[in-house]
Amino acid sequence: MNPTTPEYRRNATPFLYGGEADAVARVLKAGQYGHTQVTEEFERKVAAFLGVPDAVAVTSGTAAMHTALLAAGVGPGHEVIVPSLTFCATIQAVLACGAAPRFIEVNPGTLCIEPDAVMEAITPDTRAVMPVLYGGRAVDLTEIRDTLDRRDIAVVEDAAHAFGSYRGSVRVGSTGDLTCFSFGPIKNLTCGQGGMVIPRTPAEAATVRQLRLLGVVASQAQRQAATSYRVEGFGLRYQLSSLNAAIGLAQLPKFKTTEVNRQELWRSYRCALRDVPAVRLVDVDVDHSVPHLCVVRVADREEVFRRMLAAGVAVGVHYPPNHLQPAFAPWRRVLPVTEQAGREILTLPFHQHMTDDDVRHVAATLKAATGGGQ
Ligand SMILES: *Cc1c(COP(=O)(O)O)cnc(C)c1O
C-alpha cells in the first residue's frame, strides 16, 4: 500500500519494534526450527512477565484453548459455558474436545459474560466455563468461584485479546485460572503465529506439554540421544516453532510501549466519540486493560458500516454471534441480548500505527455516517 495512505484506511497490521527480523534471522541461521531453547526461553520470559511459575507455548490461541480444555478434563458428554459473542475459534476448541458449547449472553455494555448468566447455564454436565476477555477487559468470576470449585467446573479463559491486562492488581494469567493467550499477527503481542497456556498446576503443565508434542514425553536432548521414544498418549503437532518464539521474545521487552500506546489510543477514541451522540462505546476498563479493540454500538449498523468503508475507513465487526452460525446450529438457543449486539457492533480502526489525528478523523467520519448529530 502507498506509504502516504492514512493509517485509519488500513486494516490492523503487526506493530514491530525493529529487533524481530534479526531475531528470526538468528534462528534461521542456527538451523533448528522446532521446539528449542528459544521456545523455552520465551516460555520463561512470559512466565516471569506475568509473575507465574510456568507457561506452555503452543502454535496458536486455538491450540492453547484446545489443550487447556483437555488438561481441565473436558471431553465427550461435557458442556462448556461460553459466550456466543466471540471469535469462532473459541467454539471450535470446545468441539475439538468432543464437548458441547452452552452459549450464554453477555453484558451489553462490556460484551463480557457475568456471573449470573454462568450460574443460570450450569447443568450436571458442565465441566468448564470459558470467559472471553473481550477487547482486553478482564472477567471476574470470583463471586461464584466456590460454586464452580464444588462442582469441579474449571475456568478456562480465552484471553486472546488480553495479554498484559490486569484483573485488580494482578495481570491476567496470574489470577489462578487456566488462561489462554494468542500471539497471532495482530494481537497485543505477536509471534507471527503462536499461543500460550498458563497452567494452574505442574500436572496441567505436563499434560499440555505432552499434548503439544504428539504425546511424546522426552526432552529434545533425550530424543536425539536415544534409539526410540515413548508415545504416552494422545497428542497433536502443537509446538511453537523457535522462528515464531523469536519474534515474541523480541517484542516482549517493548511491551510497556504497547501498553501505553494502546491505552492512549483508546482514551483518544473515548474523548473524540463524546462528540458522536449516535454511538455507544463498548467499555474495556481502560485503566486496567491493554485494549485490543475499539468497538461501538450503533442502531443502523449495516448502513453505517457501508458508509464508513465508502469513506475509506477500515471498520469491521467482532463478531457475528456464533449461535447463529450453521456449524453450531445444534447448540442454538435464543439469545436476544447477543443478537441485538450482533446487529449493532462496529469495530473502529485500532492499531499502534495510528495517531491522534487518525482517531479524530475516524470519529468525524463516524459522526457524518450516523447523521451528524441528533
Ligand atoms: C485471535 C483469537 C483467538 C484465536 O487465536 P489464534 O492464535 O488465531 O488461534 C481466539 N479467540 C479470540 C477472541 C481471538 O481474538
Side-chain angles (χ1 to χ4, degrees):
M1 199 179 268
N2 182 333
T4 60
T5 303
E7 289 296 340
Y8 57 78
R9 291 187 190 272
R10 300 172 198 263
N11 289 312
T13 51
F15 191 83
L16 301 179
Y17 285 96
E20 293 87 352
D22 284 347
V24 172
R26 279 195 296 276
V27 176
L28 275 173
K29 276 205 198 108
Q32 304 269 322
Y33 305 159
H35 173 98
T36 69
Q37 294 300 322
V38 179
T39 314
E40 291 183 3
E41 187 187 346
F42 183 51
E43 290 179 331
R44 284 193 301 276
K45 294 255 166 84
V46 167
F49 173 83
L50 298 173
V52 294
D54 202 1
V56 186
V58 291
T59 36
S60 67
T62 310
M65 292 187 286
H66 183 196
T67 52
L69 286 167
L70 290 174
V74 173
H78 295 147
E79 284 180 2
V80 176
I81 296 173
V82 63
S84 170
L85 204 74
T86 178
F87 188 39
C88 59
T90 324
I91 316 308
Q92 298 290 19
V94 172
L95 296 186
C97 299
R102 166 87 180 184
F103 292 118
I104 63 168
E105 294 277 34
V106 287
N107 175 313
T110 65
L111 305 184
C112 288
I113 63 168
E114 300 269 343
D116 285 357
V118 174
M119 287 302 293
E120 281 169 23
I122 292 174
T123 75
D125 295 328
T126 307
R127 195 61 186 267
V129 186
M130 295 189 84
V132 175
L133 282 61
Y134 188 94
R137 184 190 184 95
V139 174
D140 192 350
L141 298 179
T142 309
E143 66 178 82
I144 58 169
R145 173 108 257 162
D146 288 348
T147 309
L148 297 178
D149 286 348
R150 226 178 312 115
R151 293 177 181 245
D152 204 16
I153 298 171
V155 176
V156 180
E157 295 185 310
D158 177 348
H161 293 179
F163 187 76
S165 290
Y166 285 83
R167 187 207 290 172
S169 59
V170 300
R171 295 237 197 226
V172 167
S174 63
T175 57
D177 295 320
L178 247 171
T179 300
C180 304
F181 292 110
S182 163
F183 303 128
I186 58 162
K187 297 292 159 64
N188 289 353
L189 184 126
T190 188
C191 284
Q193 200 71 250
M196 194 75 84
V197 177
I198 311 303
R200 295 173 297 184
T201 62
E204 271 175 0
T207 300
V208 176
R209 288 199 161 94
Q210 180 174 331
L211 285 166
R212 76 173 172 192
L213 213 75
L214 296 162
V216 174
V217 200
S219 71
Q220 193 194 16
Q222 282 167 335
R223 276 181 285 126
Q224 282 171 350
T227 54
S228 184
Y229 54 79
R230 279 176 68 82
V231 185
E232 296 267 356
F234 174 73
L236 291 154
R237 181 57 107 189
Y238 271 175
Q239 74 207 21
L240 182 68
S241 161
S242 52
L243 289 164
N244 295 106
I247 298 173
L249 265 175
Q251 290 243 308
L252 195 55
K254 312 288 188 186
F255 194 78
K256 187 69 202 173
T257 306
T258 301
E259 184 169 348
V260 171
N261 286 355
R262 286 183 170 273
Q263 287 181 332
E264 284 178 351
L265 197 58
W266 199 91
R267 289 187 181 115
S268 293
Y269 262 122
R270 182 173 59 187
C271 182
L273 291 171
R274 287 194 184 118
D275 194 34
V276 188
V279 306
R280 242 185 327 147
L281 181 60
V282 172
D283 189 59
V284 296
D285 187 15
V286 65
D287 295 338
H288 296 99
S289 304
V290 180
H292 178 62
L293 295 175
C294 183
V295 176
V296 295
R297 298 185 58 149
V298 57
D300 195 3
R301 198 270 315 276
E302 295 303 305
E303 182 60 20
V304 175
F305 180 86
R306 203 187 52 70
R307 287 182 189 163
M308 293 296 279
L309 283 189
V313 178
V315 288
V317 173
H318 294 81
Y319 300 90
N322 283 288
H323 71 288
L324 304 177
Q325 294 286 5
F328 310 134
W331 303 282
R332 185 167 298 175
R333 311 171 61 218
V334 178
L335 297 172
V337 175
T338 299
E339 286 158 29
Q340 190 178 345
R343 288 188 296 269
E344 294 182 356
I345 48 178
L346 182 72
T347 306
L348 304 179
F350 188 85
H351 51 83
Q352 282 176 261
H353 301 280
M354 290 179 66
T355 63
D356 278 354
D357 278 348
D358 291 323
V359 168
R360 278 191 291 272
H361 181 87
V362 173
T365 310
L366 190 56
K367 186 170 181 175
T370 53
Q374 294 109 42

